[in-house]
Amino acid sequence: MFQRLEDVEKRYEELNVLISDPEVISRQNEWKNYMKEHSDIEDIVFKYREYKTTKKNLEDAKEMMEDPEMKELAELEMLEAKEKLPILEDELKILLIPKDPNDDKNVICEIRAGAGGEEAALFAGVLFRMYSMYAEKNRFQIQVIYENETGIGGYKEISFMITGKGAYSRFKFESGVHRVQRVPDTESSGRIHTSTATVAVLPEVEDVDVEINPADIRMEVFRASGAGGQHVNKTSSAVRLIHEPTGIVAECQTERSQLQNREYAMRMLRSKIYDIEREKQEKAVASERKSQVGSGDRSEKIRTYNYPQGRITDHRIGFSVFQFENFLNGDMDEMIDNLIATDRAEKLKGNND
């Protein structure tokens, strides 16, 4: 581990020189890449330097022990350093875990009603509201791309973009099947119904991340439906893009112009294709140890929202929260932090095997 840390610190010093070089600065793309690499490893370097300083303090304190007048002070410094070093080592191990390159990216999220008819559509609406409130609390922006409303506050399907630095790192573990258990308002006998909704979370990708041949895309235009103002149903501004080789479809109907809708649909299409390619690569290089959390298989039941018991349980990590209303109002940090911590622990275990 310490050789890796030495190599990272050496690279950091090289980058310090490069990003200050006027010739490199004149090549903007190259300079931006160096700046990103510099930023990505800065936390590791600072933490490693703190570790080295603490270790030196321990060695200095051992030497001071030979001086009777300094012995008491030396003992305090030794105790402090001995307590701090293992903590810093653990922090360095976590920092050395390869960072998900998508963590800082924006998110494209799709929620689809599953089993349960109208109740499933209402639950999809609950999830959208929950994610919207969580995004607002974290100062992320939400832009609805496509919605298919049921008319009573639910959605058969809704797609939206979440923008802001680190959005994907906070939402990526939401992919999968969410299950709700509650008594619907329409149920006179008070029976508990079980319904599901599927959530897909995709990192937004740039042109350079995935190549799409324009000839492979078929575009259809149609009139938008649902809420959206006076322009809805008057012009064919909604856009549907179909990627012929894969059959992947992306739609956008929320913007006023066909051009804007096509741009959003293209961003969604690009992310969907990237997600498929990434899944193929991950399966090809999958380690024998399967992560307990993972990025979320869409067919996997990941979480249950039990209204009668006021409990929300994530089945991947066996963790439950009982602040039910608060969670549905966007107070999701405790759950998300536990998912991130479990994922890190699994990766750390894999690194040590």
Side-chain angles (χ1 to χ4, degrees), residues 304 310-315 317-323 327 334-335 338:
T304 295
R311 171 176 50 82
I312 297 168
T313 300
D314 196 288
H315 305 292
I317 57 174
F319 181 76
S320 296
V321 295
F322 294 89
Q323 303 295 321
F327 191 91
E334 187 182 8
M335 179 74 80
N338 272 274

Side-chain angles (χ1 to χ4, degrees), residues 297-313:
D297 185 330
R298 311 256 174 88
S299 62
E300 176 193 1
K301 182 188 73 181
I302 63 165
R303 194 176 296 150
T304 295
Y305 302 70
N306 189 307
Y307 275 72
Q309 295 179 14
R311 171 176 50 82
I312 297 168
T313 300

Side-chain angles (χ1 to χ4, degrees), residues 48-268:
Y48 181 45
R49 286 175 178 173
E50 185 182 352
Y51 174 86
K52 288 196 292 186
T53 301
T54 305
K55 196 168 183 182
K56 188 175 185 307
N57 290 343
L58 178 61
E59 290 164 0
D60 291 345
K62 284 178 182 176
E63 290 181 11
M64 285 166 59
M65 288 287 287
E66 296 173 11
D67 184 345
E69 293 183 7
M70 302 295 288
K71 189 175 180 181
E72 189 176 342
L73 177 62
E75 283 177 346
L76 286 172
E77 289 197 7
M78 279 180 67
L79 182 64
E80 183 183 339
K82 281 180 178 178
E83 286 179 352
K84 194 174 180 182
L85 279 173
I87 295 168
L88 290 171
E89 274 192 42
D90 287 342
E91 289 175 347
L92 282 167
K93 285 176 185 175
I94 290 169
L95 286 169
L96 281 173
I97 295 170
K99 187 181 176 186
D100 186 335
N102 295 315
D103 272 354
D104 287 337
K105 292 184 176 179
N106 297 330
V107 165
I108 290 174
C109 186
E110 292 182 324
I111 304 173
R112 294 174 186 267
E118 286 287 356
E119 181 62 15
L122 286 170
F123 179 48
V126 169
L127 291 176
F128 173 62
R129 177 181 176 274
M130 178 181 80
Y131 291 141
S132 298
M133 295 183 79
Y134 180 69
E136 187 179 341
K137 288 175 192 290
N138 285 274
R139 298 186 179 179
F140 297 134
Q141 302 296 313
I142 279 202
Q143 168 73 43
V144 174
I145 298 171
Y146 176 81
E147 56 187 351
N148 184 353
E149 295 179 89
T150 59
I152 58 169
Y155 296 96
K156 290 181 182 175
E157 178 187 350
I158 182 165
S159 304
F160 51 97
M161 184 173 286
I162 305 164
T163 56
K165 187 175 173 62
Y168 186 71
S169 70
R170 302 303 294 176
F171 282 90
K172 65 182 176 181
F173 296 122
E174 294 302 301
S175 282
V177 176
H178 295 241
R179 182 177 68 170
V180 63
Q181 294 174 320
R182 64 180 174 183
V183 179
D185 293 336
T186 54
E187 178 57 66
S188 55
S189 63
R191 286 185 307 163
I192 296 173
H193 282 226
T194 299
S195 305
T196 62
T198 304
V199 176
V201 177
L202 312 172
E204 188 195 9
V205 296
E206 306 296 330
D207 288 336
V208 292
D209 295 321
V210 59
E211 287 184 26
I212 302 176
N213 185 346
D216 290 337
I217 299 172
R218 174 160 53 91
M219 185 173 92
E220 296 176 356
V221 294
F222 57 100
R223 291 185 180 183
S225 58
Q230 294 179 349
H231 70 291
V232 170
N233 286 326
K234 293 201 174 177
T235 59
S236 295
S237 60
V239 169
R240 179 182 297 116
L241 298 180
I242 301 133
H243 186 244
E244 299 280 11
T246 60
I248 292 172
V249 177
E251 297 176 310
C252 183
Q253 64 172 25
T254 54
E255 300 301 316
R256 288 183 176 272
S257 79
Q258 193 181 104
L259 194 65
Q260 286 176 307
N261 281 328
R262 188 187 186 286
E263 182 191 334
Y264 275 107
M266 193 65 199
R267 288 162 80 173
M268 183 184 289

Side-chain angles (χ1 to χ4, degrees), residues 17-35:
V17 174
L18 285 167
I19 61 177
S20 305
D21 186 334
E23 277 193 30
V24 175
I25 294 170
S26 68
R27 300 189 292 272
Q28 276 292 294
N29 286 340
E30 185 181 341
W31 181 75
K32 283 177 184 175
N33 289 335
Y34 287 142
M35 284 294 291

